Amino acid sequence: MTGERARGAVLYAAAAVLVVGGASWFFASAPPGRDNDQINEWRTAVEQQLPDTEDQVDASTSVLGGGADQSFETSVETGEYRVSMICRGGPESQLRVSLSQIGPDTGRGLQCSGDRPVYSFEVGLGDVMRLNIVVSDNGPVVFRYQVEHVFD
């Protein structure tokens, strides 16, 4: 009987450790520093400045914490595309965007603080469009991108 109780106690203790660990991970992974009202304000600003369109192939808005390294992928047909992006964040927040994970593509820096315009460029793509985003330590930021097929 005591062996069964010991096993039960070990099982309950292990479950408690998992719950505490999961809760700690959940709260630690949330973007630090800013309250939800500020993030919602930034989200609204980027979505108004770069709204969804009928011609878009893909668009997404994400909240990224300071130091985040995130990739976004979109399946595309071979052709010319316009990639547009914008970000908002606190003082001195910025991010770097590149189209490849390897090679000489050092990317483009975007300032996220203040009222910045949408940055767009055209690129020939085939199969997959991949954006790699690295956020400075001054996060969080709200990042939005849009991919549109350019028709001749």
Side-chain angles (χ1 to χ4, degrees):
M1 199 65 140
T2 57
E4 289 179 22
R5 287 185 181 197
R7 280 192 298 254
V10 169
L11 182 61
Y12 285 122
V17 167
L18 285 174
V19 168
V20 169
S24 298
W25 172 82
F26 178 79
F27 289 109
S29 66
R34 302 271 186 231
D35 62 5
N36 286 337
D37 290 340
Q38 182 66 70
I39 290 174
N40 288 337
E41 183 180 313
W42 292 336
R43 178 184 297 274
T44 300
V46 299
E47 289 176 349
Q48 285 177 346
Q49 222 171 335
L50 187 58
D52 287 335
T53 66
E54 290 181 16
D55 295 332
Q56 75 186 29
V57 176
D58 189 28
S60 181
T61 305
S62 297
V63 177
L64 304 171
D69 189 347
Q70 178 79 36
S71 291
F72 299 92
E73 290 188 7
T74 301
S75 295
V76 296
E77 297 176 6
T78 301
E80 290 288 318
Y81 292 85
R82 179 177 304 106
V83 180
S84 301
M85 58 192 78
I86 190 166
C87 63
R88 288 286 179 273
E92 299 185 30
S93 60
Q94 56 187 338
L95 53 81
R96 181 156 292 282
V97 180
S98 61
L99 290 176
S100 68
Q101 293 177 322
I102 58 173
D105 183 4
T106 60
R108 163 87 173 152
L110 292 178
Q111 295 294 323
C112 301
S113 58
D115 188 23
R116 304 287 177 167
V118 173
Y119 173 71
S120 297
F121 60 92
E122 291 187 9
V123 64
L125 298 171
D127 232 11
V128 175
M129 188 278 314
R130 178 179 296 117
L131 286 175
N132 299 300
I133 312 299
V134 178
V135 180
S136 69
D137 291 335
N138 298 328
V141 300
V142 177
F143 173 74
R144 178 163 174 81
Y145 75 91
Q146 180 183 72
V147 180
E148 292 180 297
H149 196 267
V150 176
F151 298 100
D152 294 327

